[in-house]
Amino acid sequence: MPETDHQRHFASALIVDDHPLFCDALAMTLKTVAGIEEIETASLLEDALDALDEGAEPDVIVLDLNLPDVNGLDGLIRLKTAAGAIPVVVVSSMADNRMVTSVMRAGAKGFVPKHSQRGVFRQAFDALARDEVFVPEGFVDVGDAGQPADAGDDAVSRLSTLTNQQARILQLICEGKLNKQIAYDLSIAETTVKAHVTAIMRKLGVQSRTQAVLIAGEASFSNLLPKQPDTP
């Protein structure tokens, strides 16, 4: 069947994952199922953000959630903000309904469990080519299932409103850095940092830096993953 005009072609990809062997296997899979020939990799979120800042324009970004410099969905949120119209597909072993729901609400175009067969990746990229979202077979949106949104979902929603620069500043605030230190790290004026901090607190609906840190913490993996039953 001939390709329709609205179908998207993927010629290049950026894989963000810190496991070299998985990166190699995933690159081979993308070449086979989607015909992607130009593939770049980044082992850290910051490396991926730097590449985008420097003008990289991959047709698709494939992101592992669990990176050395990421502890929650703030990584996806920051990458999605920096990527603009570039679709982001999450490939992760954390594939329970709650995590997938949070990932999709944060703006991902697809979620593929990390150890899926090649055919699942083919289905995912076929869906992306039609500008559709892709979720795993059997996925149930926890909101649609009648379960109320919790603090983690609310935090993801609020954090999604931040610009990339604001998200970077919030991360540094979470590390305990003061405005002067943040200004030095980002090579911007301290007054600019203060303006960003004010905007961050307004967007998050909080009154203090401490409350902003707590909102960021709600989007951490420890709060998004299912709670394990206590063992005697």
Side-chain angles (χ1 to χ4, degrees):
M1 178 181 294
E3 189 175 75
T4 58
D5 291 340
H6 67 274
Q7 282 189 314
R8 188 169 188 166
H9 175 67
F10 300 101
S12 61
L14 172 62
I15 299 174
V16 190
D17 191 293
D18 66 324
H19 294 88
L21 290 179
F22 181 77
C23 278
D24 290 345
L26 183 54
M28 292 178 61
T29 297
L30 296 185
K31 290 178 180 179
T32 300
V33 306
I36 299 174
E37 292 298 333
E38 299 177 26
I39 296 178
E40 299 293 333
T41 62
S43 59
L44 298 173
L45 176 71
E46 289 298 335
D47 291 343
L49 293 173
D50 288 344
L52 293 172
D53 286 342
E54 292 167 5
E57 295 183 348
D59 292 327
V60 62
I61 300 174
V62 182
L63 172 70
D64 179 15
L65 294 176
N66 200 5
L67 299 169
D69 58 342
V70 172
N71 187 39
L73 291 188
D74 58 308
L76 168 61
I77 293 167
R78 292 177 62 195
L79 187 63
K80 184 68 182 67
T81 300
I86 301 171
V88 178
V89 179
V90 168
V91 177
S92 175
S93 58
M94 297 181 288
D96 64 277
N97 286 330
R98 187 179 180 195
M99 181 60 72
V100 178
T101 297
S102 296
V103 164
M104 302 309 292
R105 288 178 179 172
K109 287 290 288 184
F111 189 108
V112 181
K114 199 160 192 177
H115 300 294
S116 297
Q117 297 295 318
R118 184 168 289 182
V120 177
F121 282 92
R122 187 185 303 278
Q123 294 171 11
F125 277 85
D126 285 348
L128 288 176
R130 299 189 299 269
D131 198 29
E132 299 172 357
V133 299
F134 179 85
V135 292
E137 183 177 359
F139 163 69
V140 177
D141 187 303
V142 294
D144 291 344
Q147 301 180 34
D150 60 14
D153 293 327
D154 179 61
V156 169
S157 177
R158 295 195 204 184
L159 292 168
S160 296
T161 67
L162 301 182
T163 66
N164 191 45
Q165 183 78 316
Q166 289 167 353
R168 295 180 74 177
I169 289 172
L170 178 57
Q171 181 185 32
L172 294 173
I173 291 173
C174 291
E175 294 173 6
K177 294 193 175 183
L178 304 175
N179 288 353
K180 185 175 182 179
Q181 296 169 305
I182 295 172
Y184 177 81
D185 287 350
L186 299 182
S187 300
I188 58 178
E190 188 173 350
T191 53
T192 302
V193 175
K194 290 179 180 178
H196 278 306
V197 171
T198 299
I200 289 167
M201 291 194 293
R202 184 181 68 252
K203 287 183 176 181
L204 297 184
V206 299
Q207 303 297 320
S208 69
R209 295 163 75 100
T210 300
Q211 290 174 325
V213 170
L214 292 175
I215 291 291
E218 291 292 349
S220 69
F221 291 141
S222 61
N223 283 318
L224 290 170
L225 290 170
K227 301 297 186 290
Q228 299 298 321
D230 295 332
T231 55

